Amino acid sequence: KVIVMSMKPKYARAIYEGRKNWEFRKTPPPLFKTIYIYESAPVSKITGTVLFSEEIRGVPLSVYEIVKTNKCFTRNLPGISYYELEEYAGRLNLVSALRVHRAERLDHTINFSVKPPQNWGTFRGSLRKEGAEI
C-alpha cells in the first residue's frame, strides 16, 4: 500500500528545502512510514516523499506553545499564528503537529491516476519506472 498526502506546492517546496519543520493536520498519517507528497494544482502530481518522526496532538494552544519554540518555520517562511491554527482546528478543537524527519524531492514527478485525497489516504498501487504512476 502507498500513503499519499496532499499539500499546496509552496508548503511542499518549503519542506523539501528544509524551511518547514512541522506539518499541521487534523487527522495525522502514520509516523515512521514513507509518505508520498501530492502537490495540488497547478502541479497536480506526486513530487517527493516525507517521513514524520514525532506527533504533538492536542488543543491548538498547547500544540502552538510547544511548536513555536521549536522553529515551526524557518528562513523566509512565515509561521502559522495561533489564531490560524485555532481556526484550522475547527469545532473539534484538536490538531496534530508532525515533525519532518526526512524529506526528498523525486527526480521525476509521478502522475496520480485516481482522485487525490483531501488530506491523506492509503492506496493500492506501485511505482513503475516507465510512465510512473500510482
Side-chain angles (χ1 to χ4, degrees):
K1 292 186 177 181
V2 176
I3 301 171
V4 178
M5 173 184 278
S6 296
M7 68 177 60
K8 293 181 180 180
K10 68 180 181 179
Y11 298 127
R13 187 171 40 255
I15 286 175
Y16 297 142
E17 294 170 357
R19 296 184 296 116
K20 185 172 191 244
N21 304 323
W22 293 90
E23 175 65 17
F24 296 96
R25 296 287 162 150
K26 292 177 195 174
T27 307
L31 296 177
F32 300 107
K33 300 251 184 203
T34 299
I35 297 169
Y36 288 88
I37 296 175
Y38 173 86
E39 291 187 34
S40 59
V43 177
S44 303
K45 293 185 182 215
I46 292 174
T47 59
T49 61
V50 65
L51 181 72
F52 298 112
S53 62
E54 177 183 358
E55 176 189 0
I56 299 169
R57 182 161 180 80
V59 296
L61 183 59
S62 64
V63 171
Y64 184 78
E65 288 298 319
I66 293 167
V67 173
K68 79 174 185 179
T69 61
N70 285 297
K71 297 194 180 195
C72 175
F73 297 96
T74 60
R75 294 183 305 209
N76 304 322
L77 186 69
I80 189 168
S81 74
Y82 167 70
Y83 298 106
E84 290 169 317
L85 188 60
E86 185 177 49
E87 185 176 308
Y88 175 70
R91 291 180 307 175
L92 291 177
N93 201 33
L94 285 174
V95 69
S96 289
L98 302 164
R99 185 187 294 269
V100 175
H101 177 70
R102 183 179 68 239
E104 186 176 338
R105 183 181 291 274
L106 297 173
D107 292 335
H108 302 287
T109 60
I110 301 171
N111 293 321
F112 195 59
S113 60
V114 296
K115 184 178 178 186
Q118 194 88 10
N119 183 7
W120 67 272
T122 304
F123 299 87
R124 292 187 185 274
S126 62
L127 296 177
R128 294 179 289 187
K129 290 280 184 190
E130 304 272 334
E133 193 169 286
I134 291 182

